[in-house]
Amino acid sequence: MKIAIIGLGLIGGSIARRLRGFHECTIAAYNRTAETLLLAKQDGVIDEGFADPGEAMDNADLIILCLYPQLNVNIIRDNLSHIKTGAIITDVSGVKSFMVKELEKILPNDVDFIGAHPMAGREVGGYKSSTDTLFNKASFLITPTQKNKPENIAIIRELAEYIGCKHVVMTTPDEHDAVIAYTSQLMHVVAVALCDSPMIERSRYFSAGSLRDCTRVAIINAEMWSELFTENKDALVDRITEMQESLEKIKQATANGDRAELEKIMKHATEQKIKWLME
């Protein structure tokens, strides 16, 4: 099997580091910087490196797209002649309905795109931050459609387990985007909003750690996250509206001096945290 990895950043590099031995694969990679390709080859992470994505994808059985969603789509659109009949394409993007919709417009019926999203990351990006333990015990979301062949879905599941993921979850593109808008994108919205407040300028020595914890993801890749927000705008706006409704309940109870209502809201939140997020 030949695998082509398109983008050797944190995720692409970490996947490549774990793929040795998977279906006796050879690993080709595209990256825009020659330095990264050379380093990955010296590390033994890839077999071949290319500055042209089409050359990396030539005769590939499996193509893993590891760039921003729109760039992934553009690269596939511009290199269709390099994608062989029967190839499987997957990705690691944080939006899935967008990817499915855009790639279904351009891919031939004999090429199978199966969306995926490994739930792992670090606060620093790039190949030099990649590691062969990034996916250990992580979740891996797969968003197949009715067009996908069962045997191809099985290969993506096998790949997820091979790179170390503990939980492989099958879901729909729409459900993925609805939940990720809450678990990931809304968390970045909250962190950005907290750091957008003028109060932060007065707060340096006034926090025992909660402000730092709540704003951890505010050091943000603005180019990537602004794209993810807009490509998933409907689901994210719904999650922001739900957040506003919760804040309004707390605001009104506070304004009314209603300790009983505040305690009720807080106890419910504690119960939900213990029930769902204490693993």
Side-chain angles (χ1 to χ4, degrees), residues 61-111:
D61 302 286
L62 173 61
I63 299 168
I64 306 175
L65 304 172
C66 300
L67 301 172
Y68 297 173
Q70 185 62 61
L71 186 53
N72 285 332
V73 172
N74 294 346
I75 282 178
I76 293 299
R77 178 185 292 116
D78 295 342
N79 292 279
L80 285 174
S81 62
H82 294 273
I83 300 173
K84 77 175 191 178
T85 297
I88 305 168
I89 301 176
T90 190
D91 75 325
V92 299
S93 305
V95 291
K96 292 276 81 80
S97 296
F98 171 84
M99 290 296 298
V100 169
K101 179 181 69 174
E102 293 301 311
L103 288 180
E104 282 186 350
K105 293 177 185 177
I106 58 179
L107 283 175
N109 291 330
D110 54 14
V111 174

Side-chain angles (χ1 to χ4, degrees), residues 69-218:
Q70 185 62 61
L71 186 53
N72 285 332
V73 172
N74 294 346
I75 282 178
I76 293 299
R77 178 185 292 116
D78 295 342
N79 292 279
L80 285 174
S81 62
H82 294 273
I83 300 173
K84 77 175 191 178
T85 297
I88 305 168
I89 301 176
T90 190
D91 75 325
V92 299
S93 305
V95 291
K96 292 276 81 80
S97 296
F98 171 84
M99 290 296 298
V100 169
K101 179 181 69 174
E102 293 301 311
L103 288 180
E104 282 186 350
K105 293 177 185 177
I106 58 179
L107 283 175
N109 291 330
D110 54 14
V111 174
D112 222 0
F113 171 70
I114 302 169
H117 187 188
M119 300 306 299
R122 301 179 68 185
E123 292 179 21
V124 288
Y127 173 78
K128 291 182 180 179
S129 299
S130 66
T131 168
D132 60 4
T133 60
L134 184 67
F135 306 110
N136 286 0
K137 300 183 179 180
S139 296
F140 192 99
L141 311 180
I142 304 176
T143 60
T145 68
Q146 293 182 344
K147 294 183 177 181
N148 296 143
K149 297 178 180 179
E151 60 269 29
N152 293 342
I153 298 171
I155 287 175
I156 302 304
R157 172 184 280 277
E158 185 184 354
L159 182 147
E161 294 170 347
Y162 194 86
I163 65 174
C165 294
K166 182 178 181 181
H167 305 285
V168 181
V169 179
M170 297 287 178
T171 186
T172 66
D174 287 346
E175 177 70 0
H176 169 279
D177 290 352
V179 180
I180 289 298
Y182 170 72
T183 63
S184 178
Q185 293 171 357
L186 185 62
M187 301 305 103
H188 288 77
V189 169
V190 171
V192 167
L194 286 168
C195 291
D196 191 44
S197 169
M199 284 299 297
I200 197 170
E201 299 171 14
R202 299 160 57 185
S203 302
R204 175 169 293 179
Y205 302 113
F206 288 75
S207 173
S210 56
L211 180 63
R212 185 180 297 108
D213 292 342
C214 287
T215 57
R216 179 180 64 83
V217 295

Side-chain angles (χ1 to χ4, degrees), residues 31-45:
N31 204 74
R32 62 184 179 83
T33 56
E35 177 189 2
T36 294
L37 294 171
L38 179 60
L39 184 58
K41 196 164 184 180
Q42 289 173 341
D43 290 343
V45 170

